[in-house]
Structure formats: structure tokens, C-alpha cells
Amino acid sequence: MAQSKSRMTPFTTKTLEEALTAKLMLNFSKAPEEATDEEMLKACALVIRDMMASRGLEARRKTRREQKKKVHYLSLEFLMGRSLMKNAYNLEILPQLKEALENLGFKAGDIFEAEPDAGLGNGGLGRLAACYLDSLTSLEIPATGYSICYELGIFKQKIVEGQQVELPDDWKGLGAAWLLPKPEEIQTVHFGGTLREFWDNGHLHIVNENATAVQAVPCDMVVAGYGTDHVNTLRLWDARAARPVDMKLFSRGEYAKAAEEEAMAKAIARVLYPEDNHYEGKSLRLKQQYFFVSATVQSIATKHLDTYGTLKNFHEKNVIQINDTHPTLVIPELMRIFIDEAGMNWDEAWDITTKSVAYTNHTVLAEALERWPQNLMETLLPRIWQIIVEIAGRWQAKVENFYHDPVKTQKMAIVWGGEVRMANLCLAGGMAVNGVSGLHSDILKKDVFKEACDMEPWKFQNVTNGIDHRRWLSEVNTGLDSLIRELTGGDDYLTEPMALQKLDAYADDKTVQERLEAIKRANKESFAKYTKRHHGVTLDPGSIFDVQVKRLHEYKRQLLNVLHIIHLYQKLQDDPNSITQPHTFLFGAKSAPGYFVAKRIIRLINSLADDIAHNPICKDKLQVVFLENYRVSLAEKLMPASEVSQQISTAGKEASGTGNMKFMMNGALTIGTLDGANVEMHEVLGDENMFLFGLHADEVEQLKREGYVPQRLYNRDESLRRCLDALRAGFRDGVSYEDLYQRLLFGAGGSAADEYLLLADFRSYCEAEQRMVETYADREQWNRMSVHNIARSGIFAADRAIAEYADNIWHVPHK
Ligand code: 26Q
């Protein structure tokens, strides 16, 4: 409906069959009837890649011809998931592709399932980057994403005897079908070495001698937009040695150098760091960051020079958005190129740099703030270090001049106590700083970055996160998609997500309610079928599907969910009639491999699940399931089947959350705290359409200030005490969780007792669960609420978020 007529002619079923057959022949010398699913998957990817590549050529020509400003989105993570169905969907050839596959003797579903997830990210931050690439393209903004072509993505999780075991995620075997290497655009990145300064013609020159060189090879993934012929690129940098190890070089001492370069190159793109919301000060991580930043800036600058012949208008034609502080080194790297390579003076280089870079913050957790040791910076990146020192000195002078307050000078310092503080470098060198939800941005302005905000208030903005609603609703929940099209009179909502609001008018409509319930039921049944087949788990589609899926983190409070389940379990043992509505609690979560407490919580969930599964009293009433290896492709199956969304972080800790939005769009109701984007969900839904509980962010702060003593709650509240005692006692498998009990009541290893206030929110949480279960029994009421949730989820579309970035930060036009 909402598409222009001038679009390129898409494939028909017939031409697709021919193209696939030809690709199979060319690549595998096989006819369709001889090919395996994997070979067919590869053929599909190649056919679609060719189609997108020709559009890419057109898009690039247009951008160049019209001298459009370009957006460069830098992120250490792009959690892309699978691409085949998504690309076919955006190209509007999905029905034809399915038919072609069936005609050639394949099961389309099996082909889609054969694709590995491109798991180049940990969680929210990485998935956000992937959703944003889709919207950037669909809104016809010339944009490129940049990251590292990790050989191994986020680890595969196995649960062995209740515990997480990590296995390597070797995704590139089949996943590489989407990648187009561009050897002609290789960049060289330098590490270490020594600086030599000399004067020439009145100019001071600085050269880096004896540096270790690593080549950065672009591997491009083309991304198609929806409802447009525009395409963009995700450029993933692969690392390889700059020179071959050659024994003949030995005598000249270059053999060792070459060997060193090879080792460094091999290590850099080897693996994604699996820490989420936690800073790891490993030198390899810093190498990854600079490698990808330097290659990216060089690549942008080269293309810019190619078009304009000068870098003086760089900021007019480019904007660099950095996804958290991980790519902060773009700031000194731009300075290096402007000064050392383009011959600009400091002021001019600084003026252009600070008009080109914008920074998004994704966390307020202190342990996630990047602080790199000065020594490491100095030896690994000597020229970059020099530039940072100069930036830091000038920034400090500015701060002193504004505040005349040594406490503020210290707080805002870029280099302090032997460390480089990346967030402060971003505040100094960026033109805009934004948080990712209203509450989060307020906390940045009033607390974390208060001093910088008071000095330069114009820099601070909010852009509430959004998700790719075409993927997370239309593509994965075809039943709901059909209902929406029918009720809203077409597919407008795909390009105008606010059109979902039209559904509000049907909230009281009995037939619509029943149809929505039937769709949810069908989705639950197909999810149950999937878990039966792939996880060996039997789910009861007649029970409430109550879901908490996200990274495992203490602040996200999976343990609070567990305490409540123990509470229900104990009540059930006291009174077998206390549960009338069967209830299934589903968990999915990866833990950082070195995060001991998080791993214990995973084990606890599995111990509890096992105990409940073996207790006849729980049969057809209570079930707990830990879903192994939670990832994008599993989320795509789970979201449409979910009824309750658990968003229960300690208020003030979750910057935004984006899973919360995926659930809402699929009609699940939220049990949540007023944290992150839940606050904005509450603004559109009201108290009556979600189940809020718990302390507010300011109350959390106040309680901590006044002195929080969880033991008092333990002594006062008998049912809470029983739950906690059950942790100590352990479950059927004989494992005690005394350590978790101790952490909650007394604290451990430097962390305060119950740091995340589980005990303080326990009562209120149980009451919210109770209200939820009562509401669930009233089918009409539940379905009405569910309709409202879907209808009002439009503001959480990534299209809206990207339009805000384009209007308020990047100043680029969009569709
Ligand atoms: C940093 C240095 C060294 C090693 C690892 C890291 C690192 C890696 C990943 C630090 C943080 C992350 C990821 C953070 C993240 O995912 N934050 C989430 O971002 C989402 C998108 O904005 C928000 O919705 C979530 O609330 C926020 O937790």
C-alpha cells in the first residue's frame, strides 16, 4: 500500500527458482534435488545478496551525486541474528521465496532454520544497533554501520547439570554467505612504536616509527530497507597481518616483527568480549577498539576526500554516532588525521571533530564505565595518547575557568589518577550526548553528567530506544500481523507505526478479543512444539506463559522472580488449591563467563525447576523452565507466544530495555518497575494496562542514603523469611544457595547487603503477580489490555527513534 510505484521489479517465484538453480549449479555443481539444506541456504543468500548489491550501487551513486550528508554508526556490537527471512521480507519477495523453495523440493522453514545467528553482540546495545540499521535504511538515510568481523560471536550456552557451559560460536561457515570482502579498500592500522618529531618548512611533523601494522579488510554486509530501493552497508572489519612472515627477513630483524604482526592480527578479530554492562580492562579489547575505529575513520576520510578533495567540510557531510564509549577513540583519531595527515592546526581540527561526533550513553552502572590505564594507552597508541593529553589539558582549563572548583575539575577530568576516562572524553569531544529513555537521560543530566550538563546544557538530549517493528511484530507474528492489517485497513502500520493506534477502537470488541486470544494460543502451541522438539521440554499451552529473557545481571533481578516462585511453591505445599490457574515461568539468560554470582543464579533457576518438576503437587499447576542459549532467533519464536513480560530491574538501573517493547508489541502484559522505558510505557498505558510495583528511582536513592537494612525485612516478614531460608536449604539436587542468601542479608566481597533491593520490593512484587493472575482469569479484561498494549506500542518503533536522531542530532533529511 504505502510503497512508491517506481520501485525496482522484484523477483517472481519463477525467476527466483531459476536464479536459485543457477547458483546451486555455479557454486556446488548440483541440481536442486541433489542439494542439501545448507547448500540451498547459501544459494538463497547469494541470490538475495546480488539483488541488494545492485541496489547498493544505485544508492551510492545517488548519495554521491546529490552530495548527501552521511551517517556513520560505530558500534563494537551488531547483534544481527538471521538475515535470510528478514532480507526477503524487506525486499517484499518472502512469499515468492517460500514458494520457490517448496517448488524446488525444499521445506522453506527448514532453510530459514539452517541459518546461524550472526551473534556479533551481547544483548540490548548490540541488538539496538541492528534494529537501527534497518530503520536508517527504510527511512532512506545514507548510513553505514561499522564493527568488527568477529570470528566467534557470543558463545553458545549449554546447560550441563544445571550450570552454564560456554561453547565457541563459529558462525562464519554459513553466515559468511552475506559478506562481501572488499580487498581494494583495505586500511592499515598501527600499534606501538616510537614517535619522532621534526620540523620542516615551519611545520612540526610527527611520525611513528617501528609500529606494528595490522591490515583491516572490509567485509560488507548489505542491508535492505523496507518499502524502498535504498540499501545501506554494515562494514565489518577483519584483521590480517600486514606482511607475510618471511624467513628471508630474519637477518634484518623483520622476521620477529612480521611474526608479531601476525599474532596481533590473528587475535584482534578472533572473539567478541562476552561482558555486558561491565568494563573489562583487557589490552586486547583496547586493541579491538582502536583497530576498528582507526580503520573506520580512515575509510570515511578517504571516501570524503575522493568526493570533495578536502577535509575542511567533513562535518557538513558526515556525522559519526558512537554506541556507548566503546568507539571513543574516534575523537583523537579524527584529530590525528586532520592534523598529521591533512596538515590542519589544532583549533581547526578540533572545531571539525566536535561538530562531527555524537555519543549515546547506555548505562549508569559504575562498573560499566570505561577507564583505561594511562600506561597501556601510552605504549599501545603513543600518538593517540599525546592527543588525548592535549584534549584533557584544554578541557580542564575550560572547566576551571567555568567553575573555579577543584572538586568539579577532578570529577570532569579526562585523565586522572593514571586513567583515561572515556565518557568524559566523549563529553568534551562530542556535539551531542543522549540517554536512551526519559528517566535515564534525566539521571545523566541530574547526576552522572551533572557538571558537564550545567556547563554545556545544549549538548544533552534524550532519544528513547525503539525496535524494528517489522521484524519483531510483522515478520515473526504472522497471525497478529494479519489481524492488524484487517483491522487497520491495510499495511500502513509497517511504514507508519503510529497507525497501530487504530486498534484501540477494538479493545472492547468481543470478536477481536477472541481472535487475539486464539492467535496467542496458536503461538503458544507452536512454541511448545518447538521446545519439545529442540529442548526436550513439554510446555502446557493452557498455562500462563510468564517470561523473563535478558542477560543475567543482578540489577535485572532474576533472583527476585525466583524468590516469588519459591513463595508460590511454598503456598502450594501448604494449600494444594492455592493455584487455580496453571502457571509456567520461562527464563532465558546468558551470564558473562566470569560473573560468578550470575552463574549461581542460573544454577538456582535450574535447581528450582528440577525440584518443581519432580513434585507431584505441582503437576498442571506450576512449572519453571530455563531455556538454553537464549538468542535473537529464539526470541523471535518466544515473543509472539508470551503473555507476561517481566521487567523488574531496580528502579534507576536499566537505561531503557528493549525486550520490554518486543513483548508489548506482541500483546504481552508487563509486570514492571518504573525503570527505563517502562516509564514511557506507563505514560501511554496508564496504571490500568500494566502491573507496576516497587520503589521509584528517587525512593531507591533515598533508602540507600538513609541506610537500608534488609535483615529487618527478613525478621518482619514471615513468608519472605521462608523463601530466603529455602535458598539455604537448597532443593532436590542437594545444592545449597547459602552464598546467595548471605549476599542478600549481609553482603559479600565489598558489595552491600542486597545491593539491588530485592527484599524491599518483594511484597509489592508478590502483590503485582497476584493482580496479574486475577486479571488473567478475566479473559475479557486481559484481552482488552492486550489490545491496548499492541495499539500503543507504535512509539517504540525504531523508525520513530531514528527520525528523532535524524532531526535533532544528525540534521539529515529522512522519509
Ligand atoms: C566495555 C568494555 C570492555 C568490555 C565490554 C564492555 C561492554 C560491552 C557491552 C560494556 C557494556 C556493554 C553493553 C551494554 C548494554 O547492552 N546496555 C544496554 O543497552 C540497551 C540499549 O540502549 C538498553 O536498552 C539497556 O537498558 C542497557 O542495559
Side-chain angles (χ1 to χ4, degrees):
M1 271 198 108
Q3 51 180 284
S4 66
K5 297 289 164 233
S6 64
R7 305 270 311 285
M8 288 186 186
T9 19
F11 273 104
T12 62
T13 305
K14 182 91 191 336
T15 53
L16 265 175
E17 281 174 41
E18 288 162 7
L20 292 172
T21 306
K23 277 283 182 231
L24 283 176
M25 182 48 76
L26 200 67
N27 282 275
F28 307 108
S29 313
K30 281 189 181 175
E33 62 273 18
E34 304 170 289
T36 64
D37 282 359
E38 284 71 29
E39 287 161 344
M40 185 44 117
L41 168 66
K42 208 150 194 177
C44 289
L46 294 175
V47 165
I48 288 183
R49 199 184 77 180
D50 290 351
M51 187 173 166
M52 296 189 298
S54 60
R55 291 187 179 200
L57 182 64
E58 240 344 281
R60 281 196 304 278
R61 281 194 181 137
K62 192 158 185 247
T63 302
R64 201 182 154 114
R65 200 170 49 235
E66 298 174 13
Q67 306 209 330
K68 293 188 189 175
K69 187 172 180 179
K70 293 193 268 191
V71 174
H72 307 278
Y73 197 94
L74 272 65
S75 177
L76 263 283
E77 307 189 7
F78 277 86
L79 192 46
M80 299 295 281
R82 291 175 175 158
S83 290
L84 179 56
M85 195 193 282
K86 176 63 184 173
N87 285 330
Y89 179 97
N90 276 2
L91 296 167
E92 294 175 75
I93 56 165
L94 184 54
Q96 295 90 315
L97 176 65
K98 285 181 181 167
E99 203 178 290
L101 287 169
E102 303 284 338
N103 290 348
L104 294 174
F106 292 83
K107 284 209 176 109
D110 292 352
I111 303 299
F112 295 134
E113 275 298 304
E115 183 177 357
D117 280 33
L120 311 182
N122 279 285
L125 168 143
R127 184 55 230 174
L128 188 78
C131 286
Y132 280 2
L133 261 191
D134 182 84
S135 288
L136 281 161
T137 316
S138 300
L139 295 189
E140 297 182 346
I141 298 172
T144 308
Y146 301 86
S147 193
I148 292 173
C149 194
Y150 301 107
E151 222 167 284
L152 306 174
I154 186 67
F155 63 83
K156 285 193 180 144
Q157 179 192 55
K158 278 238 159 267
I159 300 296
V160 179
E161 289 170 9
Q163 292 175 278
Q164 168 174 302
V165 174
E166 301 91 16
L167 299 176
D169 167 48
D170 193 355
W171 68 286
K172 271 169 91 180
L174 277 163
W178 296 108
L179 300 174
L180 207 59
K182 293 269 176 68
E184 69 282 9
E185 292 186 51
I186 286 176
Q187 306 292 342
T188 306
V189 179
H190 294 98
F191 296 93
T194 44
L195 299 179
R196 188 169 63 82
E197 307 186 354
F198 64 91
W199 287 90
D200 177 45
N201 248 336
H203 278 285
L204 176 67
H205 292 261
I206 297 179
V207 290
N208 187 354
E209 292 175 330
N210 288 312
T212 305
V214 177
Q215 282 191 346
V217 187
C219 292
D220 288 355
M221 192 187 277
V222 188
V223 181
Y226 178 78
T228 171
D229 288 334
H230 186 65
V231 302
N232 281 318
T233 303
L234 171 59
R235 171 156 284 196
L236 299 173
W237 295 103
D238 198 1
R240 73 174 192 209
R243 51 192 134 187
V245 182
D246 178 352
M247 282 309 286
K248 276 185 280 186
L249 298 172
F250 195 76
S251 54
R252 280 184 276 151
E254 289 184 23
Y255 172 80
K257 182 108 235 157
E260 190 185 321
E261 285 177 351
E262 182 167 69
M264 196 189 289
K266 276 209 174 112
I268 283 181
R270 180 93 181 122
V271 61
L272 165 81
Y273 273 84
E275 279 78 29
D276 167 289
N277 269 305
H278 188 85
Y279 156 72
E280 277 288 305
K282 298 274 165 37
S283 78
L284 180 59
R285 169 77 181 192
L286 188 62
K287 285 178 195 159
Q288 289 186 333
Q289 293 184 354
Y290 184 67
F291 166 76
F292 126 88
V293 158
S294 178
T296 299
V297 173
Q298 292 183 60
S299 154
I300 299 171
T302 306
K303 284 189 184 165
H304 183 90
L305 274 173
D306 232 34
T307 312
Y308 301 100
T310 174
L311 290 176
K312 290 186 191 283
N313 64 342
F314 184 87
H315 57 293
E316 289 163 14
K317 298 297 176 186
N318 298 284
V319 55
I320 295 176
Q321 185 68 44
I322 61 175
N323 207 17
D324 216 287
T325 53
H326 317 154
T328 301
L329 294 173
V330 282
I331 294 166
E333 178 69 2
L334 278 170
M335 290 298 285
R336 183 185 72 79
I337 291 193
F338 291 153
I339 295 172
D340 297 357
E341 294 184 15
M344 290 182 200
N345 65 37
W346 182 276
D347 290 338
E348 191 180 11
W350 185 245
D351 183 57
I352 298 173
T353 300
T354 51
K355 285 177 177 158
S356 303
V357 179
Y359 154 58
T360 305
N361 173 284
H362 295 267
T363 182
V364 297
L365 298 186
E367 65 268 29
L369 289 183
E370 286 192 278
R371 291 168 289 117
W372 290 99
Q374 160 180 340
N375 293 333
L376 179 60
M377 220 29 114
E378 198 169 353
T379 40
L380 193 64
L381 310 167
R383 179 59 181 144
I384 291 299
W385 165 246
Q386 261 187 351
I387 293 169
I388 290 174
V389 170
E390 184 64 28
I391 295 173
R394 289 169 184 248
W395 175 250
Q396 179 167 332
K398 182 168 166 174
V399 170
E400 278 169 352
N401 189 39
F402 186 86
Y403 280 117
H404 307 285
D405 177 350
V407 177
K408 294 202 163 71
T409 301
Q410 172 171 350
K411 230 193 131 186
M412 293 171 75
I414 293 171
V415 180
W416 196 270
E419 290 179 326
V420 182
R421 299 173 181 167
M422 304 304 253
N424 286 350
L425 182 47
C426 290
L427 298 180
M431 57 164 175
V433 181
N434 75 282
V436 290
S437 73
L439 174 67
H440 171 59
S441 296
D442 283 345
I443 292 174
L444 293 183
K445 286 184 255 193
K446 291 184 189 141
D447 181 13
V448 187
F449 299 147
K450 181 179 190 312
E451 292 74 17
C453 181
D454 290 347
M455 189 168 88
E456 301 181 313
W458 60 86
K459 280 190 184 176
F460 290 78
Q461 302 202 37
N462 171 249
V463 184
T464 300
N465 282 168
I467 59 170
D468 172 2
H469 72 296
R470 288 170 289 269
R471 180 187 283 260
W472 291 106
L473 200 177
S474 172
E475 184 191 326
V476 303
N477 197 342
T478 49
L480 184 54
D481 175 67
S482 304
L483 181 63
I484 294 171
R485 286 171 196 247
E486 190 186 318
L487 299 178
T488 61
D491 60 2
D492 283 9
Y493 93 94
L494 295 176
T495 47
E496 289 153 38
M498 290 310 283
L500 285 169
Q501 245 167 10
K502 294 185 197 163
L503 294 176
D504 255 339
Y506 296 93
D508 295 319
D509 184 321
K510 281 266 170 52
T511 18
V512 169
Q513 291 177 359
E514 278 162 19
R515 286 176 67 190
L516 182 63
E517 182 169 331
I519 290 164
K520 186 61 82 178
R521 175 72 194 216
N523 292 339
K524 287 166 76 180
E525 278 163 10
S526 68
F527 188 73
K529 229 170 161 177
Y530 176 85
T531 57
K532 177 88 219 165
R533 184 155 160 215
H534 292 91
H535 299 254
V537 177
T538 309
L539 298 178
D540 169 12
S543 66
I544 309 178
F545 279 16
D546 186 332
V547 186
Q548 188 173 22
V549 284
K550 47 182 81 246
R551 284 296 287 250
L552 213 138
H553 228 291
E554 286 164 280
Y555 84 83
K556 294 177 188 282
R557 301 203 292 192
Q558 281 94 350
L559 185 53
L560 178 60
N561 193 345
V562 170
L563 288 176
H564 169 255
I565 299 169
I566 294 175
H567 172 65
L568 284 185
Y569 187 23
Q570 290 173 339
K571 273 208 319 200
L572 191 63
Q573 284 165 316
D574 294 345
D575 170 12
N577 296 318
S578 67
I579 292 183
T580 46
Q581 168 58 53
H583 202 152
T584 301
F585 291 91
L586 295 155
F587 289 88
K590 285 178 182 173
S591 158
Y595 189 173
F596 184 77
V597 179
K599 288 189 148 179
R600 290 287 293 162
I601 295 169
I602 289 177
R603 191 169 190 191
L604 167 64
I605 297 168
N606 284 300
S607 291
L608 177 61
D610 164 76
D611 198 305
I612 286 175
H614 284 86
N615 194 332
I617 218 173
C618 299
K619 190 168 175 328
D620 299 327
K621 295 211 162 110
L622 184 60
Q623 188 181 13
V624 176
V625 173
F626 188 92
L627 298 165
E628 192 174 74
N629 201 29
Y630 179 62
R631 62 197 182 284
V632 173
S633 58
L634 185 56
E636 289 174 350
K637 299 181 178 75
L638 180 56
M639 292 298 165
S642 296
E643 295 177 294
V644 178
S645 161
Q646 296 278 346
Q647 307 300 336
I648 61 177
S649 52
T650 315
K653 299 294 179 196
E654 189 70 275
S656 162
T658 43
N660 46 1
M661 303 169 185
K662 292 162 198 163
F663 283 104
M664 181 186 182
M665 257 181 205
N666 282 281
L669 305 190
T670 301
I671 294 188
T673 47
L674 273 177
D675 197 16
N678 298 353
V679 175
E680 279 127 303
M681 287 171 53
H682 178 243
E683 280 166 15
V684 295
L685 291 172
D687 287 342
E688 63 278 19
N689 289 304
M690 63 193 291
F691 305 98
L692 279 187
F693 75 95
L695 297 170
H696 298 185
D698 50 347
E699 295 167 337
V700 166
E701 287 307 308
Q702 194 188 340
L703 182 54
K704 289 220 156 171
R705 264 197 314 275
E706 287 169 356
Y708 169 55
V709 187
Q711 288 116 286
R712 287 197 201 129
L713 292 162
Y714 175 88
N715 295 329
R716 214 185 296 149
D717 183 337
E718 199 209 316
S719 56
L720 172 61
R721 187 162 62 241
R722 259 180 95 190
C723 292
L724 289 164
D725 289 343
L727 291 182
R728 291 182 98 168
F731 300 91
R732 188 175 159 273
D733 59 12
V735 182
S736 158
Y737 294 91
E738 169 92 36
D739 53 336
L740 297 179
Y741 169 94
Q742 290 286 338
R743 283 185 87 79
L744 291 174
L745 286 176
F746 309 106
S751 74
D754 191 17
E755 237 204 290
Y756 296 102
L757 307 185
L758 282 67
L759 275 57
D761 277 344
F762 178 75
R763 266 291 123 214
S764 164
Y765 180 55
C766 292
E767 285 161 16
E769 277 278 343
Q770 185 67 37
R771 289 201 301 279
M772 182 278 288
V773 171
E774 282 160 15
T775 309
Y776 194 86
D778 182 348
R779 297 315 297 154
E780 204 179 312
Q781 173 65 0
W782 186 274
N783 292 324
R784 182 180 307 121
M785 291 168 71
S786 179
V787 173
H788 285 312
N789 269 264
I790 301 163
R792 299 174 194 181
S793 67
I795 58 159
F796 298 114
D799 289 356
R800 185 270 314 149
I802 287 299
E804 288 181 15
Y805 278 100
D807 294 340
N808 306 330
I809 297 180
W810 305 330
H811 307 294
V812 296
H814 60 86
K815 197 167 149 186

